[in-house]
Amino acid sequence: MVASPMFGEGQKVTAVGNPAIPAEMIPLSLDPEGTKPGPVVRPGVTLSVLDGDLQPTGWVYSVRTDDGVKGWISEKRLRLKF
């Protein structure tokens, strides 16, 4: 069974870092498949969801930072921004 996406277009989310390495930057990819490395963002940065895509590994989202950095990130690296 396919899980529904956790996030929708226009939602504000936060990038979740590696708890073992809190300062580690979070890589985004330039494609939904995750094959083209893209920019990196700080853990805790606010992102806007632009789109979602279901991949074999689960949902990934096209996101944009407030200063215009764009990329794709796995659903498990995101949390809803309150």
Side-chain angles (χ1 to χ4, degrees):
M1 183 175 132
V2 173
S4 297
M6 283 175 55
F7 309 109
E9 270 181 59
Q11 273 189 302
K12 295 284 189 186
V13 293
T14 300
V16 178
N18 178 345
I21 314 168
E24 182 181 54
M25 297 296 274
I26 299 166
L28 302 180
S29 63
L30 296 177
D31 62 330
E33 297 78 27
T35 59
K36 298 180 187 143
V40 294
V41 294
R42 289 183 332 278
V45 69
T46 298
L47 302 165
S48 297
V49 175
L50 304 176
D51 198 4
D53 191 55
L54 184 58
Q55 292 293 314
T57 56
W59 284 95
V60 294
Y61 296 89
S62 174
V63 294
R64 184 181 66 229
T65 65
D66 289 340
D67 53 6
V69 175
K70 288 185 189 177
W72 290 84
I73 188 170
S74 164
E75 183 172 82
K76 64 182 172 280
R77 299 297 302 259
L78 298 175
R79 295 289 176 274
L80 195 56
K81 176 94 175 171
F82 293 106

